[in-house]
Amino acid sequence: MSMNTQGRPTRIEHDIDPGGYETLSGSRGLDQAEPLLFERGSLDVSGVDLPTPKGGPNRLGGMKREGPIGLPGLAEPEAMRHYVRLSRKNYAIDLGLYPLGSCTMKHNPRLNEKMARLPGFADIHPLQPEKTVQGAYKLIEELAHWLMVLTNTPAVAMSPKAGAHGELCGMMAIRAALDARGETGRRRVLVPESAHGTNPATAVQCGFFTDEIPADKTGRVDMEAFKAKLGDDVAGIMLTNPNTCGLFERDIKEIADLIHEAGGYFYCDGANFNAIVGRVRPGDLGIDAMHINLHKTFSTPHGGGGPGSGPTVFSEALAPFAPLPFVVKTADGAELKMAENLSDVDGSGARPFGRLTAFHGQMGMFTRALTYMMSHGSDGLKQASEDAVLNANYILARLKDVMTPAFEGTCMHEALFDDRFLKDTGVTTLDFAKAMIDEGYHPMTMYFPLVVHGAMLIEPTETESKSGLDRFCDVLLGLAEAASAGEADRFKAAPIHAPMRRLDETRAARQPVLRWTPTADDLQAAE
Amino acid sequence: MRYLPLTPADRQDMLQRIGVSSIDQLFTDVPEAARLDGPVGLPAYQTELQVERALSKLAGENTAASSVPFFVGAGAYKHHVPATVDHLIQRSEFLTAYTPYQPEISQGTLQTLFEFQTQVALMTGMDVANASMYDGSTACAEAVLMAARVTKRKKAVLAGSLHPHYAETTRTSAKYLDIDIASTDPDPGGLSGIAEAIDDETACVVIQTPDVFGRLHDLTDISEKAHAHGALVIAVFTEPVSLGLVKSPGEMGADIAVGEGQGIGVGLNFGGPYVGLFACKNDRNFIRNLPGRLAGETVDADGRRGYVLTLSTREQHIRRDKATSNICTNSGLCALAFTIHMTLLGEKGLTTLAQLNHETACDLADRLGAIEGVDLLTDTFFNEFALRLTRPAADVVDALVDKGVLGGVPASRLYPGGGLDDVLIVAATETNTPEDLAAFETALREVLA
């Protein structure tokens, strides 16, 4: 062992290739192998203590289950280890930069979690008597107020349970408004090429068909193509702004005016609202409906893929069609109540298109989002948007001479590159991403938006420091250099420092195995 | 601005590196007329202590379920969740991870989803399950759309005792796709009219068991009839704990089983977030028509077993306007909570928990049914039942609040104008003590006297 001048050990000399042998257990030190719970648990083990049932007669009317279910249990210490070990095989925003473009992985404040767990919010039932949940209704009203002020819109539907659900909410309101006008011929929805895949899927679910608008050389809606597509069969446009190329649609007011003149409505996909909060109010742009991903803009945690929350704001024109339920004042104005049924809104002018879900929406997310908003306040929200944009442009500035920006000029909250800088290196966008894993980073979004070849979309968010961004940029520049220097093999092998090597996704799709099933040996052992 | 690490000096340095003189120059693509000048008109920032005070005050205006004898169900249930569950889902690596698009560094999420899928398939008696939906009601709506795709038929029949919110959600989802949704009358006593409504154009029948009035239904005969007509049977449940004690949808011939998973691992949360469960047979191309995410098993470059999101060719990011649904997320963290709670319970614990729920409900039904002017409408049930009272149930529930008891859901809240004003839906779970039952009985006697 050699020592450096401070007397600390620096390197252990050994003869064994550290990656060259498999351990007996399959674990690698702190990276511990973990079988499925079905291979470790047992049908007669439980990790909870419950009172002993009395037994005796039942009122199941002969519908009692007879055979075993086959669900193994783990004692509490075993369950703790099982899930803690598994958790350690995940990357997370609390571990490092998570630059997934269009996904907005910002810091998740723990105050949000604490507030959402107050028994007065977490431990109340959606159908308990209304006079016992007035505080909850007030919270929903308060959050709705913030959303309407930030967007300058007169109405918001709180019940959509995710961003795509919010899209469905907005497009259904558009469909209902067209039907109310008797316009049964308007079924074409214009969708830019760069749209999120949910946009076309949503339009179709509302009985529309989609018509793509190409992007121009600057990455924005091609205005000539857009104008050429307007006609009396157009129901509306679904436009993301800032768009998925990380750019503000400069012509957005003209787009709004033209679609309205043509008799259609303007749906704005608000997935990227986090770039403009406090600086631009979508209501001022002429939108008719826009969902807001609370998880992206207002920091509710993504939890490995959900739950989300997608409140949808509406213009005057669409407000009457907002779905049930929504909070209203009681007749005497003394209390709040939830309008659950058509009979609750008789005579109010409301013409809700229906109900999108049981109950009132994602209360747990509402609490978190409002906590975040109050912690920032008006100015802080604006500062957050500005810092998100500043950080993205800083990355663009630091990388643009080596990696290839997809478009010229500044960007909004995310910087888009393409794969031209990897040309002739033998390294693909995917290889480059996997090499980032070995460097301790979650890769950026790859191959999206589809309009850019080999797209790499980097969204740092406002919660990254300058020094953190510098380290990240240094790594990307280093990797780009390694790719240019002909080190393709290293990229092809990546990742080698992750819990798993590259996984065979084709095999998973061709021979789907979607659940554990006992093997013949397991069954024999059980007997 | 404690969440923002940039200092004023950093911002200046960064602007200089970018080559602009002010932040405004980064927003020049925003048209002049769209720029907001001046403040937005909302309060200034508050400190952590101030925010805690403000929200605690609002929370204090609500009556938490654990603070009173509590019997409210009808689609969401008060159960005890072990402390371990909330601890584990708050681990940073679960809580603050994104959708597992990079499987090599997302095995924690992916393996737990695979375990979730397996648990849900086992409990429902189905072959496969997906990685969860928004909630039970949207899962129900998606099941009907899936049945229409699979059978290429456009008619669905809903039982009148399907939770009305589920029925309305399903109607909304189907209304612009020209799927005809018929519904039988709500019937606290049974499933009248369903069998007669099935014909050769029926895509599916949708039956909840236990239903919104708490009644259990054996679907075996209806399944046979539906299958004879080429229709699918969709079994719906809102109380997953029931699956520990009663026959599974699969055993009764259902083709698709959907429901709300909130009762295991997820708190009441005033209606959300919840976790939709979606399972089906491995039949008739069902798997490729499943909505939502799926985790699947595969191997890595070293041949080690691992998990990935799979079959995404059904989904919106590949198929866009031809996708099976527009859904692009799941209820990941709630699915994790479900899985952890289920793992702690195991078969032994789930069976015991279900038995305790049933026994508590039987005790309560005996106590309340013995009160003069109270009729027990549900003879076969799991942990919820319906009572007919001599007065409007909404008034009774209101009067019970003043006696400190949250005594169920008036059927009129779910079926306004449905002629069920005197029906009260009551749920009991393992969280109700003998003292709670006695308090409810006493309070109801007083209110009805």
Side-chain angles (χ1 to χ4, degrees):
Chain A
M1 186 184 290
S2 62
M3 296 289 211
N4 70 7
T5 51
Q6 278 85 39
R8 291 196 293 265
T10 56
R11 185 177 166 79
I12 298 168
E13 305 292 342
H14 53 64
D15 300 329
I16 298 171
D17 169 7
Y21 70 95
E22 281 297 316
T23 57
L24 300 173
S25 60
S27 299
R28 298 166 182 171
L30 285 178
D31 175 13
Q32 292 158 310
E34 186 59 24
L36 287 164
L37 83 95
F38 306 97
E39 295 157 346
R40 140 174 289 210
S42 144
L43 294 194
D44 54 8
V45 169
S46 182
V48 295
D49 286 327
L50 293 163
T52 307
K54 290 181 289 193
N58 67 59
R59 296 193 181 176
L60 299 170
M63 269 164 288
K64 187 165 176 162
R65 173 190 278 281
E66 281 154 16
I69 306 170
L71 285 167
L74 293 176
E76 189 176 300
E78 286 186 299
M80 185 67 96
R81 280 193 189 149
H82 180 66
Y83 289 105
V84 169
R85 285 177 164 200
L86 286 176
S87 76
R88 290 157 51 92
K89 299 178 192 301
N90 263 7
Y91 196 90
I93 186 67
D94 285 356
L95 285 168
L97 180 65
Y98 215 127
L100 272 173
S102 200
C103 299
T104 313
M105 292 297 286
K106 62 173 72 174
H107 171 58
N108 300 136
R110 290 313 193 276
L111 178 62
N112 299 358
E113 297 302 308
K114 187 176 178 185
M115 295 300 94
R117 284 174 171 78
L118 290 171
F121 298 134
D123 192 29
I124 53 174
H125 189 289
L127 295 175
Q128 74 185 58
E130 298 199 287
K131 62 184 175 184
T132 67
V133 290
Q134 288 295 306
Y137 287 166
K138 283 183 199 166
L139 184 139
I140 294 173
E141 280 288 89
E142 182 66 13
L143 177 61
H145 173 72
W146 281 72
L147 294 175
M148 289 188 287
V149 170
L150 290 172
T151 55
N152 194 27
T153 51
V156 57
M158 298 299 286
S159 66
K161 304 205 88 144
H165 209 215
E167 283 176 34
L168 193 62
C169 178
M171 293 306 288
M172 284 203 167
I174 288 174
R175 174 71 194 254
L178 289 171
D179 288 359
R181 278 162 45 185
E183 297 236 35
T184 52
R186 289 189 183 271
R187 294 290 178 262
R188 192 156 55 93
V189 172
L190 308 180
V191 184
E193 271 182 306
S194 64
H196 291 127
T198 46
N199 290 171
T202 298
V204 167
Q205 206 161 337
C206 297
F208 296 121
F209 66 94
T210 59
D211 190 359
E212 284 200 352
I213 318 172
D216 67 12
K217 288 201 299 281
T218 74
R220 296 171 176 85
V221 169
D222 183 324
M223 286 301 284
E224 291 315 307
F226 164 65
K227 286 176 194 166
K229 287 181 183 293
L230 292 169
D232 58 11
D233 63 338
V234 169
I237 184 169
M238 295 183 85
L239 182 70
T240 306
N241 190 45
N243 70 19
T244 53
C245 300
L247 304 168
F248 199 90
E249 292 283 351
R250 290 184 203 123
D251 299 316
I252 189 156
K253 300 264 292 178
E254 194 184 355
I255 291 170
D257 291 344
L258 289 170
I259 200 81
H260 288 149
E261 269 170 42
Y265 293 98
F266 180 5
Y267 185 83
C268 185
D269 181 318
N272 298 331
F273 186 45
N274 61 303
I276 55 173
V277 174
R279 288 197 73 110
V280 178
R281 297 181 302 184
D284 297 340
L285 303 173
I287 63 141
D288 290 299
M290 181 183 93
H291 77 268
I292 299 166
N293 301 70
L294 292 188
H295 44 295
K296 294 186 184 188
T297 303
F298 302 112
S299 83
T300 72
H302 288 68
S309 182
T312 304
V313 295
F314 290 113
S315 64
E316 287 296 346
L318 292 186
F321 303 96
L324 292 163
F326 44 82
V327 176
V328 293
K329 281 207 166 69
T330 49
D332 60 4
E335 287 192 339
L336 296 169
K337 71 184 272 7
M338 193 62 74
E340 298 265 12
N341 303 289
L342 284 174
S343 55
D344 291 329
V345 297
D346 280 348
S348 68
R351 307 166 73 180
F353 66 72
R355 172 186 279 276
L356 282 169
T357 175
F359 312 131
H360 327 315
Q362 308 285 58
M363 182 66 179
M365 304 297 129
F366 299 164
T367 313
R368 289 171 175 88
L370 185 62
T371 300
Y372 173 90
M373 290 170 161
M374 291 169 70
S375 299
H376 278 76
S378 191
D379 287 2
L381 291 173
K382 184 177 178 215
Q383 186 70 57
S385 306
E386 289 178 358
D387 284 359
V389 173
L390 180 61
N391 278 353
N393 278 285
Y394 183 66
I395 285 178
L396 187 60
R398 282 220 48 200
L399 302 180
K400 70 180 177 190
D401 295 335
V402 175
M403 292 170 66
T404 35
F407 301 104
E408 283 181 15
T410 56
C411 60
M412 296 301 285
H413 60 300
E414 49 196 358
L416 180 59
F417 300 89
D418 59 29
D419 61 359
R420 281 174 291 169
F421 74 102
L422 293 173
K423 191 165 181 284
D424 302 326
T425 62
V427 176
T428 65
T429 305
L430 183 71
D431 299 333
F432 194 80
K434 298 300 183 193
M436 288 172 66
I437 292 176
D438 281 336
E439 300 291 340
Y441 287 106
H442 193 284
M444 68 283 271
T445 293
M446 290 176 297
Y447 303 112
F448 181 82
L450 307 176
V451 287
V452 172
H453 193 270
M456 302 183 194
L457 186 60
I458 302 179
E459 180 175 13
T461 82
E462 71 276 13
T463 54
E464 298 304 324
S465 67
K466 177 175 179 293
S467 59
L469 295 180
D470 279 330
R471 285 193 297 275
F472 175 66
C473 290
D474 290 343
V475 165
L476 290 189
L477 293 172
L479 286 175
E481 198 180 314
S484 304
E487 295 180 27
D489 289 351
R490 162 184 165 191
F491 287 88
K492 295 284 172 209
I496 55 170
H497 297 306
M500 303 292 288
R501 303 285 303 282
R502 247 184 251 195
L503 284 140
D504 187 347
E505 304 200 29
T506 309
R507 172 180 157 140
R510 292 228 172 109
Q511 306 157 35
V513 178
L514 304 178
R515 60 170 281 189
W516 174 85
T517 30
T519 62
D521 288 348
D522 295 327
L523 290 171
Q524 204 171 10
E527 285 170 14
Chain B
M1 300 308 120
R2 60 188 182 277
Y3 306 143
L4 304 178
L6 296 184
T7 64
D10 287 336
R11 292 185 183 112
Q12 278 314 312
D13 286 355
M14 292 165 79
L15 288 170
Q16 202 178 358
R17 180 73 169 82
I18 294 164
V20 296
S21 57
S22 72
I23 190 78
D24 288 337
Q25 279 185 275
L26 297 178
F27 284 84
T28 48
D29 285 333
V30 179
E32 200 84 37
R35 289 184 211 166
L36 176 64
D37 289 322
V40 74
L42 288 165
Y45 86 93
Q46 298 187 44
T47 64
E48 181 155 339
L49 178 59
Q50 288 172 316
V51 174
E52 280 200 44
R53 274 194 194 129
L55 284 167
S56 299
K57 182 169 176 293
L58 278 183
E61 292 177 35
N62 305 316
T63 304
S66 298
S67 67
V68 287
F70 187 86
F71 301 93
V72 186
Y77 300 88
K78 171 71 185 161
H79 291 291
H80 178 253
V81 180
T84 302
V85 175
D86 196 44
H87 170 82
L88 285 169
I89 69 165
Q90 285 204 71
R91 280 202 49 109
S92 285
E93 304 90 330
F94 284 133
L95 183 75
T96 76
Y98 195 69
T99 301
Y101 290 141
Q102 297 289 340
E104 298 84 4
I105 46 172
S106 307
Q107 287 299 302
T109 293
L110 287 160
Q111 183 170 331
T112 56
L113 287 178
F114 189 79
E115 293 182 350
F116 170 83
Q117 289 172 185
T118 306
Q119 287 172 331
V120 173
L122 287 167
M123 290 170 74
T124 53
M126 292 284 152
D127 298 318
V128 291
N130 75 6
S132 79
M133 314 286 284
Y134 305 141
D135 68 359
S137 66
T138 53
C140 175
E142 290 287 341
V144 170
L145 301 190
M146 175 172 153
R149 284 195 298 277
V150 170
T151 61
K152 299 187 168 58
R153 296 180 181 181
K154 293 252 178 185
K155 275 173 67 177
V157 181
L158 312 186
S161 54
L162 172 65
H163 196 296
H165 292 174
Y166 284 43
E168 287 165 37
T169 301
T170 302
R171 280 179 199 284
T172 304
S173 290
K175 74 192 278 188
Y176 299 126
L177 295 174
D178 300 322
I179 295 173
D180 172 28
I181 307 267
S183 189
T184 59
D185 287 334
D187 173 12
L191 272 186
S192 50
I194 278 279
E196 297 71 34
I198 302 170
D199 63 27
D200 287 345
E201 289 169 27
T202 308
C204 59
V205 287
V206 183
I207 300 171
Q208 182 178 331
T209 177
D211 69 18
V212 74
F213 303 104
R215 180 177 295 265
L216 285 162
H217 298 286
D218 192 332
L219 306 182
T220 312
D221 292 346
I222 299 250
S223 295
E224 271 175 31
K225 167 136 197 213
H227 292 157
H229 285 280
L232 304 184
V233 174
I234 298 172
V236 181
F237 54 91
T238 59
E239 171 58 287
V241 176
S242 67
L243 296 170
L245 197 59
V246 303
K247 278 185 195 165
S248 69
E251 283 177 277
M252 299 189 288
D255 303 280
I256 302 174
V258 288
E260 178 53 67
Q262 172 271 330
I264 295 176
V266 183
L268 288 170
N269 290 320
F270 202 45
Y274 285 177
V275 51
L277 311 185
F278 196 119
C280 66
K281 299 281 191 196
N282 181 7
D283 193 17
R284 298 175 66 173
N285 214 15
F286 278 15
I287 289 179
R288 285 174 203 278
N289 271 291
L290 266 173
R293 286 187 179 142
L294 297 167
E297 187 180 294
T298 187
V299 292
D300 78 352
D302 289 340
R304 309 204 317 164
R305 180 175 66 175
Y307 304 91
V308 295
L309 289 181
T310 193
L311 294 173
S312 55
T313 46
R314 307 158 299 118
E315 290 186 62
Q316 35 73 29
H317 57 270
I318 307 277
R319 298 257 291 171
R320 292 167 74 91
D321 57 343
K322 292 184 180 60
T324 51
S325 84
N326 83 326
I327 291 171
C328 91
T329 190
N330 58 328
S331 200
L333 200 66
C334 299
L336 175 68
F338 179 100
T339 289
I340 297 169
H341 191 183
M342 199 59 249
T343 300
L344 283 166
L345 286 166
E347 176 140 350
K348 188 169 165 240
L350 179 68
T351 310
T352 306
L353 179 67
Q355 182 70 28
L356 290 169
N357 270 259
H358 184 56
E359 288 178 1
T360 310
C362 288
D363 283 354
L364 184 65
D366 287 342
R367 281 171 173 272
L368 302 183
I371 298 173
E372 194 174 321
V374 174
D375 265 345
L376 181 64
L377 296 179
T378 327
D379 49 6
T380 63
F381 57 84
F382 170 63
N383 67 354
E384 189 162 24
F385 49 82
L387 302 173
R388 176 159 278 138
L389 309 176
T390 48
R391 289 173 49 192
D395 298 347
V396 172
V397 166
D398 209 41
L400 287 170
V401 173
D402 299 334
K403 297 190 176 295
V405 174
L406 299 194
V409 180
S412 59
R413 187 155 176 192
L414 298 171
Y415 297 98
L420 297 168
D421 287 2
D422 54 357
V423 175
L424 178 65
I425 301 168
V426 176
T429 70
E430 83 286 358
T431 63
N432 294 121
T433 61
E435 293 74 26
D436 287 348
L437 305 193
F440 190 6
E441 183 190 349
T442 307
L444 188 60
R445 274 187 200 282
E446 288 170 10
V447 168
L448 292 177

